[in-house]
Amino acid sequence: MQRYSILWADDEIDLLKPHIMFLEKKGYDVTPVNSGADAIDKVSQQSFDIIFLDENMPGMTGLETLSYIKSSKPNQPVVMITKSEEEHIMEEAIGSKIADYLIKPLNPNQILLSVKKILDNKRLVSEKTNMNYQQEFRNISMMVSDSRDYQDWVEIYKKLVYWELEIMTADTGSMGEVLTMQKDEANSNFSKFIIDNYEDWLNDPKADKPLLSHQLMKKKVFPLLKEKEPVFFIVIDNLRYDQWKSIEPLVTEYLSVEEDDTYFSILPTTTAYARNAIFSGMMPDKMAKIYPDLWRGDDEDEGKNLYEEDFLKRQLKQNGLADTKFSYNKVIHTSQGKSVNDSLNNLLNNDLNVVVYNFVDMLSHARTEVEMLKELAPDESAYRSIAKSWFVHSPLFELLKRLSEKKCKVVISTDHGTIRVRRPFKIIGDRNVNTNLRYKQGKNLNWDGNHVLEARHPDKFGLPKLNVSTAYVFALEDHFFAYPNNYNYYVNYYRDTFQHGGISLEEIIIPVVTLGNK
C-alpha cells in the first residue's frame, strides 16, 4: 500500500505530537516544522502529498506561506488550520484554492477525514461506486426483463445514464464494460418494446403512450405563453439525455430546473422527420399532405429543415395563437449565436423565441468524417466531454447566463439522440434508396435477419410514401445498414461512428427541460 507524506507547519508543533503519532500509526509519514519559512524550505527540497499550515504563525503567516507555496506548486494540496473563525480569513484561504479548512481544537478523526478526503478520494469513490453499481445491477436487469410500459423504459434509461456518468467520474475500469453489456441488453428489449407498441401509439386513441415529437410544443411550450413572460424554446439538435445530464450542473448554477422530463422522438429519428414534426405539430404524412409547399421528402435534394419557421407560424395559428409575437433563429456558426445574444433586449419583447443550435449534430457528422475527431472522441465518455466543452465556451451558455437575470421561462430540448453503431447489417436497395445508415426508405428493399423494424404500411407509422410499394426499414440497437457491394468500405468507415434514424434508447428517449429564474 502506498505511504503518503505529510508536511505539518505549526509554531506549536510539539503540542500536536499525539496527532502526528496517530497519523503515523495510520500509515502516513509526517514531517513537522515550526514556521512558514521552514515549510517553504522543506517544500523546495522534497515533494509532499499534503501540507498542513497553521494560519496564525509568528513571522510568515499561514496565508503568506500558502501564497508562496501555491506560486511555485499551484496543484499542491494544502489544508489551512486556524483558531480563528473570521470570515475574511476563510474567504482568502478558499480563494487561494486550499484543499480543506480545519478549526482548532482538532481531533484525530477530523484530521484523518481531511487526509482521506484529499488523498484517498478517488480510490474510495471508485470502490463505493463499484459496490453500489453491483448492488443496482440486478435491480436494473429485473426492470429490463419486467418492463411493461414507456414509463418503465424512461426509468430504466435514466438509471443507466446515471450509472454511466457515475462510473465515468469514478474511473472504475471493468465496471464500464459491465454497464455497456447491460445497456446492450436493455436496447435489445427496448427495440422489441417499440416494435410491439409504436403503431398503437399513433393509431389507438386509448393506448398508453409517451409524449411524441409532434406534441412537444403544444404540451411543453405553448402552455407557458399563458404566464405572460417571454418564453425561450432552445432546441439543441442531436442532444442525448446523457449529454444533457453532463451539462445540467453548469446550467443550474444560473437557472433552476422546474421540470426535468423526457419525451420520445418519432421514427425516423432524424432532423427531416422528428424536428419538422416538432415545429409543425404534425406527423410527417400530414405535413406532406397538408403542406406540400414546405415538406421535402427523401427523394428531394433540397435541405429538409429549411421551413421550420413557416411550420411554426402555421402551428401557432392552428392552436389559436396566431397573434403570438415570436422569433426564430438557427445557429450554426458562433457569429450567429453572438448575434442572437446581442439582440436579447429586442427578443425579450416577444412572447416566444425559438433558437435552434446545430452544433452537436455537426459534431456527430464531423466525427465520422474527420479522423482527428475520432481520436479525440473514441467513446461515449469522450464524446460527452467534447459536447460539454463546446457548451462551456458557446454563445448558448452565455445566453442562458443572461436569461437568468431576466424574468422569463426557458425550455431546452432536442429532436432526437444518436447511438454509436458497431454492428453492420446487410441490406439491398436500388439507387433511389436514401443514404441514412439507420433507416432506409424505398421500394424493393431486401435483407437477411431480424434486426430491423419494417414498415410496409408507412401510413400506420405516420410517414409519407412516394409510391404504392414504398416501405421504411429501421435498424435496431447498434446496427447500421451496409450494402453488399462496398461492404468492407462501409464497415471500416462507419463502424464506431455516431448515427441516428433508427431505434435505440439513446435516439428515442430524449430530454425536455423547463427552467426558470432562481
Side-chain angles (χ1 to χ4, degrees):
M1 182 177 173
Q2 179 181 354
R3 287 186 69 87
Y4 291 109
S5 60
I6 299 171
L7 174 66
W8 196 330
D10 193 305
D11 62 307
E12 298 176 332
I13 196 70
D14 291 339
L15 300 178
L16 297 171
K17 194 149 189 180
H19 294 317
I20 293 172
M21 291 174 64
F22 173 77
L23 287 174
E24 289 176 338
K25 285 181 181 178
K26 291 291 182 180
Y28 299 98
D29 295 324
V30 183
T31 301
V33 294
N34 288 292
S35 67
D38 289 344
I40 291 169
D41 285 342
K42 286 290 184 184
V43 169
S44 66
Q45 296 166 14
Q46 68 182 93
S47 296
F48 294 93
D49 294 298
I50 190 170
I51 298 173
F52 285 159
L53 281 182
D54 180 43
E55 196 284 317
N56 190 26
M57 292 184 287
M60 184 176 282
T61 67
L63 286 173
E64 291 169 340
T65 307
L66 171 65
S67 178
Y68 193 97
I69 291 171
K70 285 289 186 178
S71 67
S72 59
K73 296 189 175 182
N75 297 317
Q76 172 70 59
V78 177
V79 176
M80 185 65 69
I81 300 174
T82 180
K83 291 178 182 176
S84 172
E85 296 188 31
E86 291 186 41
E87 188 175 353
H88 76 93
I89 294 176
M90 293 182 188
E91 289 182 350
E92 190 169 348
I94 294 167
S96 300
K97 299 182 180 179
I98 58 167
D100 206 353
Y101 192 96
L102 302 179
I103 297 175
K104 293 180 178 180
L106 301 172
N107 70 65
N109 286 326
Q110 178 188 15
I111 299 166
L112 183 62
L113 176 62
S114 181
V115 170
K116 283 189 173 292
K117 186 167 64 175
I118 296 165
L119 299 181
D120 287 343
N121 180 274
K122 190 171 183 178
R123 176 182 63 81
L124 294 171
V125 168
S126 178
E127 289 174 358
K128 181 66 174 174
T129 302
N130 263 338
M131 184 175 68
N132 288 348
Y133 175 61
Q134 287 170 6
Q135 292 171 348
E136 185 76 348
F137 177 88
R138 176 176 167 79
N139 294 333
I140 295 174
S141 293
M142 290 177 63
M143 289 175 66
V144 169
S145 299
D146 298 339
S147 59
R148 294 288 179 267
D149 53 35
Y150 76 88
Q151 291 103 327
D152 289 344
W153 279 109
V154 169
E155 186 178 354
I156 289 166
Y157 185 47
K158 285 185 173 181
K159 283 182 178 292
L160 289 170
V161 166
Y162 170 80
W163 284 110
E164 190 169 16
L165 296 177
E166 286 291 296
I167 287 170
M168 173 200 72
T169 304
D171 190 19
T172 58
S174 60
M175 275 298 116
E177 297 175 12
V178 175
L179 178 63
T180 296
M181 292 171 57
Q182 189 164 54
K183 275 183 68 180
D184 289 344
E185 179 193 5
N187 257 324
S188 177
N189 284 38
F190 179 69
S191 295
K192 295 171 187 173
F193 171 76
I194 293 295
I195 290 171
D196 291 341
N197 292 277
Y198 188 75
E199 279 191 58
D200 288 343
W201 293 346
L202 299 178
N203 298 288
D204 182 358
K206 296 181 180 178
D208 180 28
K209 67 194 77 173
L211 183 69
L212 296 169
S213 304
H214 62 298
Q215 304 161 326
L216 181 63
M217 294 198 74
K218 185 175 181 179
K219 296 292 186 181
K220 294 295 186 180
V221 179
F222 294 164
L224 298 176
L225 297 173
K226 298 174 185 175
E227 299 183 25
K228 303 302 180 184
E229 292 180 3
V231 176
F232 286 77
F233 180 42
I234 298 170
V235 179
I236 307 174
D237 191 4
N238 220 348
L239 183 76
R240 301 194 322 191
Y241 184 74
D242 61 319
Q243 291 170 325
W244 158 248
K245 296 310 282 186
S246 71
I247 66 174
E248 181 183 31
L250 299 168
V251 175
T252 52
E253 286 185 33
Y254 300 91
L255 293 157
S256 62
V257 174
E258 296 183 354
E259 186 179 36
D260 185 354
D261 206 352
T262 58
Y263 80 99
F264 281 45
S265 171
I266 63 163
L267 299 174
T269 48
T270 64
T271 301
Y273 292 87
R275 198 158 87 202
N276 279 331
I278 292 173
F279 288 115
S280 69
M282 297 178 175
M283 289 296 289
D285 59 341
K286 287 191 176 179
M287 280 186 263
K289 183 178 180 180
I290 298 174
Y291 299 132
D293 57 322
L294 303 182
W295 173 256
R296 296 295 179 268
D298 285 329
D299 60 324
E300 298 175 80
D301 293 331
E302 188 178 350
K304 305 299 189 291
N305 59 331
L306 300 178
Y307 302 102
E308 292 168 356
E309 184 174 1
D310 299 288
F311 274 132
L312 174 57
K313 187 175 183 179
R314 296 182 189 187
Q315 185 182 181
L316 286 166
K317 186 176 181 180
Q318 290 162 7
N319 285 274
L321 297 167
D323 295 332
T324 299
K325 189 178 179 184
F326 78 95
S327 71
Y328 170 89
N329 288 277
K330 184 182 292 185
V331 177
I332 299 174
H333 305 294
T334 300
S335 59
Q336 294 169 322
K338 290 180 178 177
S339 178
V340 170
N341 294 356
D342 291 342
S343 63
L344 180 57
N345 288 335
N346 291 330
L347 297 179
L348 289 166
N349 294 319
N350 296 328
D351 304 308
L352 172 64
N353 298 286
V354 174
V355 186
V356 176
Y357 265 85
N358 261 25
F359 176 82
V360 180
D361 185 59
M362 291 165 59
L363 173 62
S364 68
H365 291 297
R367 187 189 171 279
T368 300
E369 297 161 9
V370 181
E371 195 62 37
M372 183 180 291
L373 273 178
K374 289 182 184 177
E375 294 294 324
L376 288 172
D379 54 26
E380 308 282 352
S381 176
Y383 184 56
R384 274 193 300 271
S385 180
I386 289 181
K388 183 177 180 180
S389 179
W390 160 76
F391 178 77
V392 168
H393 303 286
S394 71
L396 173 56
F397 193 23
E398 181 61 31
L399 174 64
L400 294 175
K401 292 176 186 177
R402 293 175 64 178
L403 288 176
S404 71
E405 301 168 354
K406 311 295 182 182
K407 195 168 174 135
C408 64
K409 293 290 184 200
V410 179
V411 179
I412 294 178
S413 193
T414 186
D415 47 3
H416 55 77
T418 186
I419 186 169
R420 183 157 59 115
V421 295
R422 289 174 288 178
R423 292 181 285 177
F425 186 87
K426 288 182 180 179
I427 194 167
I428 300 172
D430 61 32
R431 66 172 63 183
N432 295 317
V433 173
N434 63 301
T435 59
N436 187 285
L437 300 183
R438 292 282 291 163
Y439 86 95
K440 294 297 179 186
Q441 182 251 76
K443 54 185 180 179
N444 303 319
L445 294 170
N446 290 287
W447 61 89
D448 290 321
N450 58 359
H451 293 291
V452 298
L453 166 59
E454 180 186 6
R456 284 287 177 195
H457 303 285
D459 55 307
K460 296 289 187 182
F461 284 70
L463 298 172
K465 55 183 180 179
L466 300 177
N467 54 59
V468 176
S469 58
T470 293
Y472 290 76
V473 180
F474 304 97
L476 310 181
E477 306 164 52
D478 62 354
H479 290 87
F480 64 101
F481 292 126
Y483 296 118
N485 54 324
N486 291 331
Y487 180 77
N488 290 331
Y489 165 79
Y490 261 81
V491 171
N492 292 331
Y493 190 78
Y494 289 109
R495 177 182 274 147
D496 275 326
T497 62
F498 288 90
Q499 304 292 334
H500 56 86
I503 297 171
S504 66
L505 290 161
E506 293 90 333
E507 290 164 289
I508 289 181
I509 303 179
I510 45 181
V512 53
V513 184
T514 304
L515 304 161
N517 305 102
K518 287 194 169 183

